[in-house]
Amino acid sequence: MGRTSDARERLMSAMMELIWAGSYGATSVEGICDRAGVRKGSFYYFFESKTALAAAALEAGWEERRGELGKIFGEGVGPVERLRRWSGGLAAEQREMWERTGRVLGCPLHVLGAEISTQEEGLRRSIEKILGEYQGYVAAAILAAWGGGEERAMEAAARARRVFAYGEGLLTQARIANDPGLLDEMEEGVLAIALGVTAVAA
Amino acid sequence: MGRTSDARERLMSAMMELIWAGSYGATSVEGICDRAGVRKGSFYYFFESKTALAAAALEAGWEERRGELGKIFGEGVGPVERLRRWSGGLAAEQREMWERTGRVLGCPLHVLGAEISTQEEGLRRSIEKILGEYQGYVAAAILAAWGGGEERAMEAAARARRVFAYGEGLLTQARIANDPGLLDEMEEGVLAIALGVTAVAA
């Protein structure tokens, strides 16, 4: 039973790794099974299709990420420090990946979402839902940094969308340029956009 | 000869349309030929591969876009108005597309770049080059809005990268959500990030 559940998890890990390092379209069931060390016959015991595996892998990945975000956005430190820790962490994570693999891969949600959103409605919805939940962490930190109450929650959510668009766009640009140096400005950019502390040109 | 050059152009248009509406991986030479109304045998007279066609189509698309950007960022109006016209135009273009096709497709450069950057080095380089040139228009408008001279050119380029990351991220989010309403904030967001006129929360 241990082996069975291992195989399912190995398939999910392999799927996310292959999508992230390549693309959904370039990832085949054969390739996933090879990477996971699972026989193709077993694949269909766990998942009815590549799409079903991708959906399960997204959920599992988000569960894990949510745990990390819970710590990053935890209340041990002030809200500005939470935003700093988050944005600095995004940049550090990509640099570490680049040092290890030679590649900046950006955000798997945006990479997959950009590719499949017009073709795979179920996956598109999953990604949209996850991105919305993710933004909630950023919105809560912004609201706390503003010292705002519930009456400013909508405004904080809008600001979080702006911060998020910036962060995601920068991650994709770093993927396209394969250059972790582009992310050196992530922390400053996030704080400027989140808190309106952009240096005004004079 | 007229027909010959038509076929080449039809292949390039079909390629960009199919990538943008779907993905690179989901686009086959057969599908391109069908859409372009060109026989498969003729395809290889013009292009040695799907990748070669994509590279030519990117360049041709950029030529056309550059013409539009020349007008948008032309000196007929002040620099803030140029940024407004550009960002408002991006949103309007996507809304018009959504009304016509039911889809928000985002930016073809980021959609394609996110998908292929780890797999197609030549295309990745083309996209990186085009994005860099595109950002130059935004950087020049920001520098002019600041009333700055050449000594602030680097700073304006950095700010343009920030604006661009935001704009691209928002376009991809709108693609993922298939919601043109997300782009209603594009103009305000671009001006806030470009010019540091973010409303400071009090």
Side-chain angles (χ1 to χ4, degrees):
Chain A
M1 193 172 134
R3 283 198 58 211
T4 302
S5 67
D6 273 351
R8 189 171 188 277
E9 285 182 5
R10 286 204 309 276
L11 287 168
M12 293 195 290
S13 298
M15 180 82 202
M16 285 314 289
E17 286 163 18
L18 289 169
I19 289 173
W20 206 13
S23 69
Y24 183 80
T27 299
S28 65
V29 169
E30 286 79 2
I32 297 161
C33 290
D34 275 357
R35 187 172 186 111
V38 170
R39 278 187 308 180
K40 199 172 164 187
S42 304
F43 179 96
Y44 293 101
Y45 172 77
F46 294 110
F47 300 103
E48 68 178 9
S49 63
K50 184 175 99 170
T51 311
L53 167 57
L58 271 176
E59 270 309 317
W62 174 232
E63 274 304 318
E64 197 182 318
R65 191 66 165 179
R66 194 153 45 189
E68 294 163 16
L69 291 173
K71 285 178 202 154
I72 291 168
F73 287 100
E75 302 204 332
V77 296
V80 176
E81 188 55 30
R82 289 174 224 159
L83 290 168
R84 199 187 296 280
R85 205 152 63 170
W86 169 62
S87 50
L90 289 176
E93 200 172 71
Q94 298 286 331
R95 183 172 287 280
E96 188 272 328
M97 186 187 304
W98 179 78
E99 282 167 357
R100 192 160 39 82
T101 70
R103 279 283 167 194
V104 174
L105 295 181
C107 166
L109 295 168
H110 257 230
V111 168
L112 179 60
E115 180 184 351
I116 58 78
S117 58
T118 61
Q119 303 168 71
E120 295 280 358
E121 178 60 15
L123 292 180
R124 187 196 71 70
R125 278 175 200 250
S126 291
I127 292 169
E128 189 183 0
K129 189 201 70 154
I130 291 170
L131 288 172
E133 286 178 36
Y134 195 146
Q135 282 177 46
Y137 289 90
V138 179
I142 290 174
L143 187 63
W146 285 352
E150 277 310 302
E151 75 286 359
R152 297 192 71 189
M154 293 274 286
E155 196 188 336
R159 190 61 64 86
R161 278 199 301 277
R162 185 177 295 174
V163 167
F164 215 78
Y166 162 72
E168 288 285 6
L170 195 65
L171 284 166
T172 302
Q173 291 195 320
R175 177 178 168 99
I176 292 172
N178 195 31
D179 179 2
L182 289 181
L183 301 168
D184 290 346
E185 73 140 87
M186 177 71 94
E187 194 177 313
E188 189 193 328
V190 161
L191 291 178
I193 296 170
L195 305 176
V197 290
T198 308
V200 177
Chain B
M1 195 172 136
R3 285 197 57 212
T4 303
S5 68
D6 274 350
R8 189 171 189 278
E9 286 182 6
R10 287 204 308 276
L11 287 168
M12 291 195 292
S13 298
M15 180 83 204
M16 283 315 288
E17 286 163 20
L18 289 169
I19 290 173
W20 206 13
S23 70
Y24 183 80
T27 300
S28 65
V29 169
E30 287 78 3
I32 298 161
C33 290
D34 274 358
R35 187 172 188 113
V38 170
R39 279 185 309 182
K40 198 172 165 189
S42 302
F43 180 96
Y44 293 102
Y45 172 76
F46 294 111
F47 300 103
E48 68 179 9
S49 63
K50 184 175 99 169
T51 310
L53 167 56
L58 269 177
E59 269 308 318
W62 174 232
E63 274 303 319
E64 197 182 319
R65 192 64 167 181
R66 193 153 46 187
E68 295 162 17
L69 291 173
K71 286 177 202 153
I72 291 168
F73 286 100
E75 301 205 331
V77 296
V80 176
E81 187 56 29
R82 289 173 224 159
L83 291 168
R84 199 187 295 280
R85 206 152 65 170
W86 169 62
S87 51
L90 288 176
E93 200 173 71
Q94 298 286 330
R95 183 172 287 279
E96 189 272 327
M97 185 187 305
W98 178 78
E99 283 166 356
R100 191 160 40 81
T101 69
R103 279 285 167 193
V104 174
L105 296 181
C107 166
L109 295 168
H110 257 230
V111 168
L112 179 60
E115 181 183 351
I116 58 78
S117 58
T118 60
Q119 303 169 70
E120 295 280 357
E121 178 61 15
L123 292 180
R124 187 196 70 71
R125 278 174 199 249
S126 291
I127 293 170
E128 189 183 1
K129 189 200 71 152
I130 291 171
L131 289 172
E133 286 178 38
Y134 196 145
Q135 283 178 45
Y137 289 91
V138 180
I142 290 174
L143 188 62
W146 285 351
E150 279 309 303
E151 76 284 359
R152 299 191 69 188
M154 293 276 286
E155 197 187 336
R159 190 61 65 86
R161 278 199 300 276
R162 185 177 295 175
V163 168
F164 215 79
Y166 163 72
E168 288 285 5
L170 196 64
L171 284 166
T172 302
Q173 290 194 320
R175 178 179 168 98
I176 292 172
N178 194 31
D179 179 1
L182 289 181
L183 301 168
D184 291 347
E185 73 139 88
M186 177 71 94
E187 195 177 312
E188 189 192 328
V190 162
L191 291 179
I193 296 170
L195 306 176
V197 291
T198 309
V200 177

